[in-house]
Amino acid sequence: MPTPALPTPDESAEARRQIARIEALSTSHDPVHDGIRVRWRRFGTDTTQPPIVLLHGGHGSWMHWLRNAEALSAQRTLLLPDMPGFHDSDALPRVAPGEDALVPLLAALGGTLDALIGAGTPIDLGGFSFGGLTAARFAVRRGAIRRLALMGSGGHGTLRRMTVEMINWRAAPDRETERAALMHNLGALMLHDPAAIDPLAFEIHDLSCHGTRFRSKEVSLSGGLQAAIDTLGVPTLLLWGEFDVTADSRPLVEQLASEGPGREGVVIDGAGHWVQYERADEVNAQLLRFLG
């Protein structure tokens, strides 16, 4: 598949306006836990139901949910963090070799969320990619999880279907070469339909990659998803895109959904890894149905 053309300056400006329009619907909060500040964006004002908390993927940010925020916050409060080490949040101290890199991230995430809504307050929790495994482990650690929704989750420990090599954009000698590498990676990993690789997707990917200081790939490949959802035992939605290159989605969804009560598997036809962007309307409908 040929790499799509890079956005023009006008297209990039319009993409930034779209991001700003959605961000303007939120209020920003910067609680601190053990010296780590985490930026949370709150959408919606409903206080009668548990808030929805969604965790972004690796090399991501709250903008991984840009096409979902309005629909999901229409009747519920929606909380979107930049996880520690990503975008507008503080970086974490580097862990020693052999230590679990997720532990300090989970501590900062949990401490700052509890500062916002109170310890033990029930939530509905979701996550995408690296954020899926993070959400599952966060749910085990925090408790008070009503429902769990995972999209293209990392940590499954099964076969990946990557056929196109990623390009190290950080090694690019100039900005245009860097932008070309980022565009290549967007198509190689994140999105299946070339039409979905639009200026908005590129702007989100570009901004989020530049804000990433946490090494998530090793965590996502380390496994642990099944053990976490087995431990939880809460109603769980397992959703993948048909062409997600990070997993063989249909057998994986069938396997995970069959291994415990209250689990539901969904494969979105025609979608790649970043399923909630590429097929936003379908994913929004699935989440609203599942989360009630």
Side-chain angles (χ1 to χ4, degrees):
M1 182 185 74
T3 301
L6 290 166
T8 66
D10 285 347
E11 289 173 332
S12 296
E14 174 56 28
R16 288 191 293 272
R17 282 191 289 269
Q18 293 180 56
I19 293 168
R21 183 186 71 80
I22 299 299
E23 186 169 23
L25 303 176
S26 71
T27 56
S28 293
H29 307 268
D30 291 280
V32 176
H33 178 79
D34 282 350
I36 302 297
R37 178 190 56 82
V38 177
R39 168 68 55 86
W40 289 82
R41 289 169 175 85
R42 185 196 302 263
F43 296 80
T45 58
D46 177 80
T47 59
T48 63
Q49 302 177 81
I52 301 170
V53 176
L54 297 178
L55 307 183
H56 59 76
H59 284 82
S61 70
W62 74 275
M63 291 179 282
H64 271 170
W65 307 101
L66 198 84
R67 285 186 164 172
N68 318 105
E70 284 185 282
L72 298 182
S73 64
Q75 296 180 339
R76 300 278 295 275
T77 295
L78 173 66
L79 296 169
L80 302 180
D82 287 329
M83 290 192 282
F86 295 87
H87 197 51
D88 286 335
S89 292
D90 287 349
L92 292 160
R94 188 173 295 275
V95 299
E99 290 187 3
D100 187 341
L102 261 190
V103 170
L105 185 150
L106 295 174
L109 195 66
T112 55
L113 175 62
D114 288 348
L116 282 180
I117 66 172
T121 298
I123 63 172
D124 286 337
L125 180 63
F128 161 60
S129 193
F130 160 72
L133 174 61
T134 304
R137 289 193 50 188
F138 182 68
V140 172
R141 178 187 177 100
R142 181 182 187 271
I145 307 301
R146 194 183 71 117
R147 286 174 177 261
L148 180 68
L150 306 179
M151 281 137 280
S153 181
H156 53 79
T158 65
L159 179 70
R160 289 162 63 91
R161 298 186 292 180
M162 291 288 297
T163 59
V164 178
E165 288 291 324
M166 302 280 281
I167 296 175
N168 181 8
W169 60 272
R170 294 185 187 274
D174 54 64
R175 175 60 173 153
E176 283 309 295
T177 306
E178 178 189 90
R179 292 178 79 228
L182 287 165
M183 179 63 84
H184 168 88
N185 292 347
L186 192 58
L189 175 65
M190 297 290 278
L191 298 165
H192 173 71
D193 184 353
I197 307 174
D198 58 13
L200 179 59
F202 180 81
E203 192 70 18
I204 292 170
H205 187 60
D206 189 16
L207 290 169
S208 299
C209 284
H210 278 92
T212 296
R213 290 141 291 155
F214 183 90
R215 297 177 63 86
S216 63
K217 185 176 180 179
E218 292 84 354
V219 176
S220 291
L221 294 176
S222 65
L225 178 66
Q226 289 96 325
I229 60 177
D230 286 347
T231 300
L232 280 171
V234 301
T236 301
L237 175 67
L238 301 149
L239 187 150
W240 262 263
E242 177 187 9
F243 296 107
D244 189 334
V245 299
T246 71
D248 191 355
S249 53
R250 292 196 189 279
L252 176 60
V253 166
E254 182 178 358
Q255 173 206 329
L256 290 174
S258 69
E259 290 182 345
R263 298 184 191 177
E264 180 180 346
V266 174
V267 175
I268 301 293
D269 291 341
H273 182 50
W274 190 7
V275 61
Q276 76 272 21
Y277 184 91
E278 190 164 4
R279 293 289 187 271
D281 290 346
E282 294 171 61
V283 172
N284 291 340
Q286 290 286 350
L287 288 173
L288 289 167
R289 175 194 57 78
F290 175 72
L291 299 176

